[in-house]
Amino acid sequence: MPLSTPLFDVRDYGARGDGRTLDTEAVNRAIAAAAAKGGGTVLFPAGRFLCFSIRLASGIALLLSDEAVIEAADPARHPGAYDPPEDGPDQLYQDFGHSHWHNSLIWGEGLDGIAILGRGRIEGIGLTRDGPGARWRKQTGERPLSMNGMSAAEIRALEPDAESMNGLGNKAIALKDCRGVALRDFTIWKGGHFAILATGVDGLTIDNLRIDTDRDGIDLDCVRNARVRNCRVNSPNDDAIVLKSSFALGAGMATENVVIENCTVSGFDLGTMLDGRFGRTQEIAPDRDRVTGRIKLGTETNGGFRNIVIRDCRFERSRGLALETVDGGVLEHVEISGITMNEVTTAPLFLRLGDRRRGPEGIGIGALRQVSIRDVEATGIDPRFAATIAGLPGHPIEDVTLRDVRFVYAGGGSGSDAARTPPVLAEAYPEPSMFGVTPAFGLWVRHARRVTLENVRLEADTLDARPALVTEDAEVVER
């Protein structure tokens, strides 16, 4: 959207920007005025604008000047509330956060031609990060030891509900069924459960964002024709950039034609990416595995994925790349290249076809196929978890190529580790740790066909009693 469109300064509509006065109504008046004129740019000049829900409109760009901050108000401290979670398809097959959009700091639904631009900041100070485990914490004061290995029903039982979330906001930006969206140049600190949730969006550009957040960074669910580039996302407690294809829109819809390029993801201490300290105090994420901060496809996978490109990205102190389909969707035509990883906190690569089937009655097991991975180097890898390609008996992962790949592990595995035969765990929540210590130190391939390895180097810094490569019910060709 060009910035030559009419300019609407939020101060002209009553916003104070003093960090104490609630500016929600003034900001929404400015957006309504711009929409009434057929669209325009709503300007946030220098200041701190304290707000509850900001409602976008078609043809509107929010422009955050360099010294502008939009601060999420806190219902516990400020008079007011976020918009309530809207009605929609039953929350049967995805969690609460994926199923609602209006209970957010900035939201839009069914819009065309919208943008959030500029070098200002969005600070989600008053947002909640509640997601899986919320009810457990309220009932017991504790987190479950781990969601890894839990069934879909067990995880769903821990979710918040509309009543418990009424008045609260749990996303910085939420977009549903929008077209022609641009998000550029701004910073998000503490984005709640999702810093950005885009569901059913067609035509999306996310460029040059900096996100340092409590839970997920960028979630793209059932999106089409999207590009995420030049972004830095730090998320020690959850995924940094994640593609999903849930049932949130009432049907299984593929996420397709997506490019993620020149991005850096990490799991440093919260806030320390933005201030440059890159802290390493936090070791464990809420699921009791080590810190997260990765790029992932999954876990919600009703509609599947196709035509996905991930290139020229960096992983720092984070889990490795994960490609998962466990809810009946087909994951295919994925190209990955130019990836570097340092200080990998679980497996550097995790391809998983599972049988969770969190979806309508009668869905089958999905498929994972046609994946090309090249020019990847990972060092400082947690020695417990080899790169893993794990399908199911009778449902193999197919047509995977690894070319010009180097994985360097810490080593130290034992003979008893090498003798392990991990359980199948078809229905379990997918994480590299689900199988325990892998029988290979470098690459473990199980229930797979036509896996090709070309110039793949698997190294250990110290002696490891496990073999570099272990296969089980797998066709692997080394060239």
Side-chain angles (χ1 to χ4, degrees), residues 185-260:
D185 298 331
F186 56 89
T187 295
I188 299 177
W189 179 59
K190 297 186 69 173
H193 190 176
F194 304 95
I196 297 171
L197 173 63
T199 308
V201 174
D202 192 346
L204 170 65
T205 297
I206 300 177
D207 190 5
N208 196 35
L209 300 192
R210 296 195 311 156
I211 301 173
D212 201 334
T213 190
D214 323 52
R215 290 283 305 279
D216 280 7
I218 298 171
D219 268 50
L220 307 184
D221 191 3
C222 304
V223 303
R224 298 166 299 282
N225 307 312
R227 175 162 288 186
V228 181
R229 60 192 180 195
N230 308 319
C231 293
R232 175 140 201 166
V233 184
N234 185 63
S235 57
N237 297 306
D238 221 319
D239 299 312
I241 301 174
V242 55
L243 307 186
K244 299 180 178 178
S245 58
S246 77
F247 216 79
L249 298 176
M253 299 173 57
T255 287
E256 56 187 336
N257 305 327
V258 177
V259 176
I260 301 171

Side-chain angles (χ1 to χ4, degrees), residues 15-16 33 37 44 51 83 99 123-124 139 141 166 176 186 188 220 246 267 276 297 301 375 380 424 431 456 477 479:
R16 300 288 295 275
K37 296 292 186 180
F44 290 79
C51 294
D83 289 347
S99 307
E123 297 188 354
Q139 293 168 6
N166 197 37
K176 176 185 179 185
F186 56 89
I188 299 177
L220 307 184
S246 77
L297 276 62
T301 48
D375 188 20
V424 174
E431 282 287 349
V456 173
V477 175
R479 295 177 178 171

Side-chain angles (χ1 to χ4, degrees), residues 259-272:
V259 176
I260 301 171
E261 59 185 348
N262 195 33
C263 292
T264 299
V265 296
S266 58
F268 297 110
D269 295 349
L270 178 63
T272 66

Side-chain angles (χ1 to χ4, degrees), residues 290-349:
R290 295 177 64 198
V291 292
T292 316
R294 65 186 161 193
I295 298 174
K296 182 174 86 169
L297 276 62
T299 298
E300 288 75 11
T301 48
N302 300 100
F305 309 90
R306 67 174 67 96
N307 302 330
I308 309 297
V309 175
I310 303 170
R311 62 190 176 209
D312 302 325
C313 291
R314 294 159 298 282
F315 293 59
E316 300 177 352
R317 195 176 189 260
S318 73
R319 300 181 195 178
L321 182 70
L323 310 180
E324 306 166 353
T325 181
V326 296
D327 296 325
V330 175
L331 190 160
E332 61 185 350
H333 303 302
V334 178
E335 296 184 5
I336 298 161
S337 62
I339 307 298
T340 60
M341 305 181 190
N342 183 43
E343 200 175 344
V344 183
T345 58
T346 55
L349 181 66

Side-chain angles (χ1 to χ4, degrees), residues 276-292:
R277 291 183 293 123
F278 300 104
R280 289 177 164 82
T281 301
Q282 181 179 343
E283 290 288 343
I284 304 299
D287 66 1
R288 297 303 175 95
D289 276 349
R290 295 177 64 198
V291 292
T292 316

Side-chain angles (χ1 to χ4, degrees), residues 338-473:
I339 307 298
T340 60
M341 305 181 190
N342 183 43
E343 200 175 344
V344 183
T345 58
T346 55
L349 181 66
F350 184 63
L351 275 61
R352 174 60 171 168
L353 172 61
D355 189 20
R356 185 177 70 163
R357 295 201 224 190
R358 192 178 179 186
E361 189 73 24
I363 66 168
I365 298 174
L368 199 165
R369 61 199 180 206
Q370 297 172 335
V371 176
S372 171
I373 301 168
R374 62 181 175 84
D375 188 20
V376 177
E377 181 163 3
T379 59
I381 304 169
D382 188 314
R384 295 174 294 173
F385 309 118
T388 296
I389 301 173
L392 295 172
H395 296 272
I397 292 173
E398 299 177 306
D399 300 305
V400 176
T401 299
L402 275 65
R403 179 183 297 115
D404 299 327
V405 170
R406 180 176 179 246
F407 293 151
V408 183
Y409 298 81
S414 67
S416 61
D417 295 332
R420 294 190 72 242
T421 302
V424 174
L425 300 175
E427 299 178 1
Y429 187 91
E431 282 287 349
S433 62
M434 66 190 292
F435 297 114
V437 177
T438 52
F441 81 77
L443 176 62
W444 180 45
V445 185
R446 182 190 226 187
H447 309 307
R449 300 289 179 267
R450 297 181 296 281
V451 176
T452 301
L453 310 181
E454 299 183 17
N455 189 28
V456 173
R457 292 187 290 165
L458 307 171
E459 304 173 14
D461 286 334
T462 61
L463 182 66
D464 199 304
R466 297 169 294 174
L469 171 66
V470 171
T471 65
E472 176 188 341
D473 181 30

